[in-house]
Amino acid sequence: MLDGGEYSSSAAMAAECFTSFNSLSKKSSKNKRRFSDEQIRSLEIIFESESKLEPRKKLQLARELGLQPRQVAIWFQNRRARWKSKQLERDYSILRANYNTLASQFGTLKKEKQSLVTQLQKLNELLEKSREDSQCCTKEVAENNIDSKSDNEKIKDEFEGNPSVSLERSEHGFGVLSDDDNRSSIKAEYFRLDEEPDLQNTVEPADDSLTSPENWGSLDSNDLYEQSSSSQWWDFWS
DNA sequence: ATCGTGGAGCGTATTACTTCA
DNA sequence: GGTGAAGTAATACGCTCCACG
């Protein structure tokens, strides 16, 4: 970069530079010459310790290097500008690297989310199927007149530990359970929450739409997917 | 105390020139 | 040898700060 060209780093050359500069007219700088290697080296050393020169030091440096104080001042100005430009490039590289990392992480999370939505869909189908089975069995029981208790009474028995109902449950699976119980059981079974306690500690949506059982009834995987895919900030990524 | 002014220094954009591939 | 890109000294201009009257 700092080749020096025909001008070596000798003091004689530096002096010649100075002479050439002095002969320049203000408008024409045809004889503009690069500073010598030695001059540049000295300027760089000073710049490393202080990017701005005190007036006294500027005069001293100019004397030592055989330059005009104005030249030293301009060199420092340009040097600061170059440094700033390089710094911007460095900052940009860092930002770009961070961006790429985040983009990659986002892609992973997006896939994970899609997988969860699919699981949720299957869960809802399972739920729907069990609900149909429940209606079928209830109808059967009523027809056979085996038990005149209402569903609510059965549920009450269940919670109070009535063995006859428990037996019935074991025979009919989710048949006589309320929807909420069904969902709790399915949820626990499907996600194996008691086996993977970490899942319960994961970050949940602020609105509790997934965690509150009272909201499960209105939970629909399609809705969820639509909600997540409509006019959200992450639309930008898809 | 306040205001106007001029000089110095700085940042930025640009020009003019040099060097090199 | 011609040429375009990159580097760099220097200029132009606008801005801020500060001393001074």
Side-chain angles (χ1 to χ4, degrees):
Chain A
M1 183 190 288
L2 302 170
D3 46 279
E6 54 186 321
Y7 289 89
S8 69
S9 59
S10 69
M13 289 301 111
E16 189 177 343
C17 283
F18 183 54
T19 308
S20 298
F21 176 84
N22 281 344
S23 68
L24 297 181
S25 69
K26 190 175 180 180
K27 277 198 168 182
S28 169
S29 53
K30 281 183 177 179
N31 292 323
K32 187 175 78 177
R33 290 287 179 269
R34 295 190 173 203
F35 296 162
S36 70
D37 290 351
E38 191 59 43
Q39 286 170 324
I40 295 293
R41 206 173 301 131
S42 299
L43 289 164
E44 288 286 358
I45 288 170
I46 304 294
F47 183 82
E48 262 183 46
S49 58
E50 43 189 330
S51 62
K52 289 187 181 180
L53 270 188
E54 291 174 16
R56 233 173 62 184
K57 192 147 191 176
K58 181 177 71 182
L59 290 174
Q60 184 193 345
L61 191 58
R63 250 197 325 271
E64 285 173 11
L65 299 177
L67 296 169
Q68 297 274 10
R70 171 80 181 149
Q71 284 179 292
V72 173
I74 286 172
W75 187 90
F76 268 79
Q77 271 184 31
N78 287 327
R79 188 63 182 82
R80 281 192 294 270
R82 286 196 291 271
W83 183 88
K84 190 177 180 181
S85 173
K86 291 283 178 193
Q87 187 61 36
L88 278 173
E89 281 179 26
R90 283 191 289 268
D91 289 347
Y92 174 73
S93 295
I94 291 168
L95 282 174
R96 191 177 50 190
N98 288 344
Y99 168 84
N100 288 338
T101 303
L102 282 173
S104 165
Q105 287 174 352
F106 181 80
T108 305
L109 286 171
K110 202 175 168 185
K111 284 179 188 166
E112 199 177 319
K113 179 200 141 193
Q114 185 53 49
S115 164
L116 287 171
V117 167
T118 306
Q119 286 184 20
L120 206 54
Q121 235 163 352
K122 289 177 182 170
L123 185 62
N124 269 335
E125 285 166 12
L126 200 60
L127 198 60
E128 197 57 40
K129 191 170 180 293
S130 74
R131 196 180 293 160
E132 285 168 9
D133 289 348
S134 168
Q135 286 171 356
C136 173
C137 292
T138 306
K139 195 177 176 184
E140 246 180 60
V141 167
E143 281 173 355
N144 293 335
N145 204 15
I146 293 171
D147 193 348
S148 60
K149 286 182 179 177
S150 68
D151 279 356
N152 285 341
E153 285 170 321
K154 289 177 189 172
I155 293 164
K156 194 181 172 190
D157 286 342
E158 160 79 6
F159 282 116
E160 286 168 354
N162 187 322
S164 67
V165 177
S166 293
L167 180 65
E168 190 179 350
R169 180 187 177 183
S170 69
E171 288 170 353
H172 299 286
F174 301 114
V176 296
L177 295 175
S178 71
D179 282 353
D180 282 355
D181 284 336
N182 269 343
R183 284 162 187 153
S184 297
S185 303
I186 294 168
K187 183 185 175 195
E189 184 183 349
Y190 203 85
F191 290 111
R192 303 190 188 285
L193 293 178
D194 38 2
E195 291 175 21
E196 300 179 41
D198 281 349
L199 279 176
Q200 297 176 347
N201 296 328
T202 53
V203 178
E204 301 284 4
D207 61 4
D208 281 338
S209 60
L210 289 176
T211 54
S212 305
E214 58 269 25
N215 292 330
W216 292 359
S218 61
L219 187 60
D220 182 283
S221 61
N222 290 330
D223 287 346
L224 187 70
Y225 185 75
E226 279 175 19
Q227 183 188 3
S228 67
S229 61
S230 63
S231 67
Q232 299 287 350
W233 62 270
W234 50 77
D235 278 355
F236 172 75
W237 299 81
S238 49

